Amino acid sequence: MTLRELLRRTQVRLAATFTILFTLAAGTLFTLLLFRLTGEIEERVHSRVMRTIDALVAIDRKFGFDELTNIVVEEAESVRDADAIFLLLDKSGRIHAGNVHSVAPFEGWRTIPRRALPAVANQGSPQDRFFSRWTEVSNGHLLVGGSDREIRQSRLILLHSVGWGLLLTAAIGLASGVYLARRSQERIDNIASTLTAVSSGQLDRRIPVGGVPQDDLDVIAQKTNAMLTQLQRVIQDVNQASTNIAHELKKPMSRLRETLEIANQKAANETEFHSAIDDAIVQLDSIVATFEALLNISQLQAGARKLRFTEIDLKSVISDVIELYEPVVEDEGGTLRASLQKGPAFLRGDRELLVQLFANLIENSLRHCLSPVAIDISIVTSGTELRVTVADNGPGIPEAERDNVLRRFYRIEKESTRGGHGLGLSVVVAIAELHNASVELADNNPGLAVVLRFPSLPRRAETSLLKK
Amino acid sequence: MRVLVVEDDDKTAHYVETGLVEAGHVVDVINDGRDGVTQAMSQDYDVVILDRMLPYLDGLSIARTLRASGSGTPILFLTALGSINERVEGLDIGDDYLVKPFAFSELLARVNALGRRPALKDRADKLYVADLEMDLATRVVTRAGKRIELQQREFTLLEFLVQNKGRIVTRTMLLERVWDLHFDPKTSVVETHISRLRAKIDRPFPKQLIQTVRGTGYLINDTP
């Protein structure tokens, strides 16, 4: 990880932000402390100077000016590190004792920098300043001053402790940020590389997800994996459908070509030509029907048709379908029966499509059943569900194949000669889905039972009468 | 009949024009929607055939403009493959629709049916074909004076055939008008119902009224 990359990491940014905030807070605290401390120490120096002055004034009063001179000489000599100044002048301004000179008398407190005091300029610290005060004594004037060295020393200690503390905090903050960033980096890299692999075509790649710990990255990884699985399924379905379409259309196209070629070579007269062309048209119509079914399924899946939904009595739909197909079934020696519950079975839907749905199911049964076919349609309302079962006595569908046959163009291998375009059940599924209905294939022992579950619409009887 | 064809695809337009002219109609062809609407408003046509997708102005808008101007000329829409939603829209404004590709016989049958569609007020209470009589009010059918019992849907089927007496009605037209079905059943639904109807109105009598037009549909006729 380069520095630039590192700075882009969330954890590092967070750590940096908190470090800066902490530094600002500590800085404010430091400033407050400094002001407080400076004031406090200055006060102490002042009172120390005042105490010295008081003691010296007492000596002057008690033992006289000469004794004071001796004491001041001693004091001035014994000053360590030049952190105090003394100057004793007599009334004529002559120096009697002290470690400085050339300081004119003044009223009250004054702060004198060391460089203004030539006698002691080379001693102590050049930054020293002296809090000083003149006092009148019996035979002259006394100057006493205390240095501010303590203040500067305390400041330095404060600065050092706060500075090191801050440095340490920043170091810990940044280090933990980098540590966290590196730790999640690996997982983010995993996610990124998985997504790159998927977009480059390895559709089955998934993000490795750890066992128990459920942090936000795990959640993202799991959701991403779920999405990838869903997308993979969709893509596979689309691929499968395209392959199936190609196969499904190649066969009739080749047959059509054969028909035309044979006619071209062998037809002896106009009648034979005509019949070949009629034949070709029939074959083409069936190809067109396949395309139409496909387009219809796509349109159904787009869902715009839902806008036209109205309240429909499913019983009347089924009655119509039965009326339409009964003669066909009877002519084949079979039976088409319906056991419909009492009372209407209302749902919101598209009548035309529902008729097509049941027509497709009946035609499917007709195509696959050996005579005599027996088709039974029943409606049962339970709760908010309308369950419609279309059952026949045909060969049924093996359990393993049931999911497959609902897919577009799927046809069980041995059934492939039975005709139809292999989209009948797909149309059924598409129409059912548009109506929020589920489609389930079950065993009718023997035969196939297609169970459709529609969400029903509770209707009052008078409303249904009004509609009629 | 005078027929206006508004179709931008030259091949389809030529195909339709040639066929309709051969069938004895007078045909005008226009290639875009803007000219199409002007032409339809300025001349008196028996049938207007509109493609849904047209340059400048689509078929649906032309139909709306025509209807808004008070024209009741029958309109037949030609729609692209598989446009079930478009078809529903088209039927709201137009009178009939046909999905491309279509057999010419289908188009011709529909144009004929549209062009001579009687206005509602002119509809008779009774329809006749040869010795067959249909009473639309009492729903009684007799042939040669003998009463024939028909189921409701058989009656509707016969009524549609008789109303189009002398004209071919196609299998698809029957599915749409009699059963309100707008998809193509794979089984011989129409054939079976026609054969049941024939068993009642034709078989007991010497003269067969319902004729099969091979590859196209059916026809009911006075004359043998």
Side-chain angles (χ1 to χ4, degrees):
Chain A
M1 246 185 310
T2 68
L3 184 64
R4 182 173 287 222
E5 272 172 1
L6 195 63
L7 284 178
R8 281 207 308 261
R9 303 287 166 225
T10 316
Q11 290 89 343
V12 175
R13 283 185 177 185
L14 276 177
T17 310
F18 279 112
T19 306
I20 289 168
L21 283 176
F22 190 78
T23 310
L24 283 176
T28 314
L29 195 69
F30 172 74
T31 315
L32 283 173
L33 270 176
L34 196 67
F35 274 109
R36 198 57 213 281
L37 200 69
T38 308
E40 190 78 17
I41 294 173
E42 207 175 306
E43 201 88 332
R44 264 161 53 189
V45 175
H46 279 216
S47 66
R48 202 167 62 227
V49 169
M50 279 312 289
R51 275 201 309 276
T52 311
I53 290 173
D54 288 348
L56 291 173
V57 167
I59 287 168
D60 177 45
R61 260 190 221 132
K62 212 169 179 180
F63 304 103
F65 190 75
D66 287 341
E67 185 57 24
L68 174 67
T69 306
N70 290 337
I71 298 286
V72 172
V73 168
E74 261 174 50
E75 281 289 320
E77 276 173 0
S78 70
V79 165
R80 278 173 292 119
D81 297 333
D83 70 342
I85 51 170
F86 295 95
L87 181 59
L88 183 62
L89 304 176
D90 63 13
K91 283 204 169 120
S92 63
R94 198 169 59 88
I95 298 172
H96 279 251
N99 52 3
V100 293
H101 53 83
S102 330
V103 180
F106 51 83
E107 278 295 309
W109 289 99
R110 199 172 275 189
T111 309
I112 307 166
R114 183 184 289 280
R115 59 179 183 282
L117 301 166
V120 289
N122 298 328
Q123 299 167 332
S125 161
Q127 287 119 41
D128 280 346
R129 294 178 313 158
F130 294 90
F131 300 116
S132 322
R133 191 183 172 101
W134 282 100
T135 317
E136 217 168 311
V137 286
S138 56
N139 199 20
H141 290 92
L142 171 68
L143 172 77
V144 180
S147 91
D148 66 347
R149 193 177 299 162
E150 241 182 292
I151 294 177
R152 279 185 293 107
Q153 276 170 353
S154 309
R155 272 186 194 171
L156 207 64
I157 292 168
L158 193 67
L159 196 66
H160 274 206
S161 43
V162 171
W164 279 111
L166 276 181
L167 212 63
L168 207 65
T169 313
I172 290 173
L174 282 174
S176 58
V178 171
Y179 170 71
L180 287 174
R182 279 195 195 282
R183 215 170 64 108
S184 57
Q185 182 57 38
E186 199 183 335
R187 295 158 75 201
I188 290 170
D189 282 349
N190 267 334
I191 295 178
S193 71
T194 306
L195 292 182
T196 313
V198 170
S199 38
S200 71
Q202 301 174 46
L203 294 179
D204 52 349
R205 282 283 296 274
R206 293 293 176 271
I207 301 161
V209 179
V212 192
Q214 278 275 337
D215 67 358
D216 43 1
L217 275 182
D218 278 337
V219 174
I220 291 173
Q222 278 167 356
K223 297 267 177 212
T224 311
N225 280 347
M227 182 196 72
L228 287 175
T229 307
Q230 176 68 17
L231 283 179
Q232 188 184 11
R233 227 198 47 168
V234 170
I235 291 169
Q236 277 169 352
D237 278 1
V238 169
N239 284 345
Q240 184 66 38
S242 327
T243 314
N244 288 343
I245 291 168
H247 278 301
E248 198 69 23
L249 288 173
K250 203 179 160 213
K251 226 184 300 166
M253 295 282 204
S254 318
R255 260 204 309 271
L256 178 61
R257 193 188 177 284
E258 259 169 54
T259 309
L260 291 175
E261 192 170 342
I262 290 169
N264 200 20
Q265 290 172 354
K266 305 259 170 74
N269 52 43
E270 206 178 325
T271 322
E272 280 184 35
F273 261 121
H274 275 303
S275 99
I277 287 170
D278 281 347
D279 203 14
I281 289 173
V282 170
Q283 291 178 33
L284 268 173
D285 281 348
S286 124
I287 293 169
V288 169
T290 304
F291 276 116
E292 196 158 56
L294 273 173
L295 287 169
N296 279 342
I297 291 171
S298 311
Q299 285 201 339
L300 288 171
Q301 284 171 339
R305 205 61 198 232
K306 263 194 169 143
L307 298 175
R308 299 192 155 269
F309 274 15
T310 51
E311 284 165 24
I312 291 169
D313 184 359
L314 200 56
K315 274 174 73 175
S316 79
V317 171
I318 288 173
S319 305
D320 279 1
V321 176
I322 287 180
E323 190 210 64
L324 182 66
Y325 280 96
E326 209 172 10
V328 182
V329 177
E330 278 175 7
D331 281 3
E332 293 197 7
T335 54
L336 174 60
R337 269 195 308 260
S339 42
L340 307 176
Q341 59 170 21
K342 278 189 186 135
F346 276 107
L347 52 76
R348 281 195 68 77
D350 184 314
R351 187 186 181 85
E352 198 180 307
L353 293 177
L354 290 170
V355 168
Q356 187 175 355
L357 186 159
F358 291 106
N360 275 7
L361 288 178
I362 291 172
E363 295 197 341
N364 241 359
S365 293
L366 278 172
R367 195 158 52 238
H368 294 293
C369 289
L370 304 164
S371 269
V373 63
I375 305 171
D376 274 293
I377 305 181
S378 67
I379 304 185
V380 178
T381 312
S382 59
T384 57
E385 181 184 281
L386 266 177
R387 197 175 70 239
V388 188
T389 310
V390 181
D392 65 27
N393 60 341
I397 296 172
E399 202 163 344
E401 297 275 21
R402 280 178 197 159
D403 279 344
N404 291 333
V405 293
L406 296 176
R407 296 214 309 253
R408 278 178 221 183
F409 281 126
Y410 191 85
R411 216 176 265 169
I412 301 169
E413 225 29 67
K414 60 182 180 189
E415 296 277 359
S416 59
T417 50
R418 293 274 188 133
H421 47 51
L423 287 170
L425 275 177
S426 303
V427 173
V428 167
V429 171
I431 295 174
E433 276 172 358
L434 192 72
H435 288 82
N436 295 324
S438 68
V439 183
E440 187 199 321
L441 302 181
D443 216 321
N444 194 36
N445 293 316
L448 176 69
V450 181
V451 185
L452 299 146
R453 289 187 168 85
F454 292 90
S456 75
L457 200 65
R459 294 299 323 166
R460 290 197 309 270
E462 55 266 32
T463 322
S464 63
L465 281 176
L466 275 177
K467 276 199 81 96
K468 292 199 172 172
Chain B
M1 283 200 291
R2 290 201 65 186
V3 182
L4 174 65
V5 179
V6 189
E7 165 66 76
D8 62 324
D9 181 72
D10 287 341
K11 271 193 177 166
T12 311
H14 183 71
Y15 171 61
V16 171
E17 185 185 12
T18 319
L20 288 175
V21 168
E22 266 174 28
H25 298 299
V26 179
V27 183
D28 291 332
V29 176
I30 304 288
N31 298 104
D32 74 68
R34 214 164 38 198
D35 295 348
V37 75
T38 322
Q39 185 73 19
M41 309 255 281
S42 62
Q43 307 263 333
D44 199 19
Y45 289 101
D46 296 303
V47 176
V48 175
I49 300 176
L50 294 175
D51 187 29
R52 278 297 301 267
M53 302 284 285
L54 287 166
Y56 307 123
L57 197 64
D58 67 286
L60 216 55
S61 306
I62 297 179
R64 282 202 192 97
T65 313
L66 279 179
R67 288 290 177 261
S69 74
S71 159
T73 312
I75 294 171
L76 170 74
F77 279 111
L78 299 181
T79 74
L81 188 72
S83 316
I84 44 173
N85 296 333
E86 286 186 8
R87 188 202 70 221
V88 179
E89 277 175 11
L91 277 182
D92 286 346
I93 300 169
D95 302 273
D96 203 354
Y97 76 94
L98 202 51
V99 176
K100 292 183 199 173
F102 49 82
F104 187 77
S105 54
E106 188 75 44
L107 177 75
L108 188 63
R110 282 162 193 267
V111 168
N112 284 336
L114 279 179
R116 286 178 217 164
R117 180 186 270 191
L120 210 58
K121 58 177 162 38
D122 300 335
R123 266 191 197 155
D125 283 345
K126 289 188 176 178
L127 299 173
Y128 302 94
V129 181
D131 52 353
L132 179 96
E133 183 186 315
M134 286 187 92
D135 189 323
L136 301 183
T138 60
R139 298 186 81 80
V140 170
V141 179
T142 56
R143 186 165 180 193
K146 267 188 252 173
R147 186 171 171 150
I148 300 168
E149 294 299 331
L150 291 184
Q151 285 176 4
Q152 202 175 319
R153 197 73 68 167
E154 288 169 341
F155 188 90
T156 317
L157 175 58
L158 181 62
E159 184 188 346
F160 187 68
L161 286 169
V162 173
Q163 264 171 350
N164 287 290
K165 181 169 66 175
R167 297 195 293 263
I168 297 168
V169 293
T170 66
R171 194 169 153 267
T172 327
M173 283 164 84
L174 287 172
L175 283 168
E176 286 170 14
R177 301 295 163 74
V178 179
W179 286 279
D180 196 24
L181 281 191
H182 299 272
F183 66 96
D184 192 11
K186 295 283 163 288
T187 45
S188 45
V189 177
V190 176
E191 291 77 353
T192 312
H193 282 272
I194 289 281
S195 110
R196 298 233 161 172
L197 184 61
R198 273 178 170 153
K200 289 183 179 174
I201 68 154
D202 269 348
R203 208 158 301 152
F205 303 94
K207 188 181 157 191
Q208 306 298 294
L209 297 177
I210 303 175
Q211 299 162 32
T212 305
V213 183
R214 206 180 145 265
T216 307
Y218 302 92
L219 173 69
I220 203 161
N221 227 339
D222 275 321
T223 49

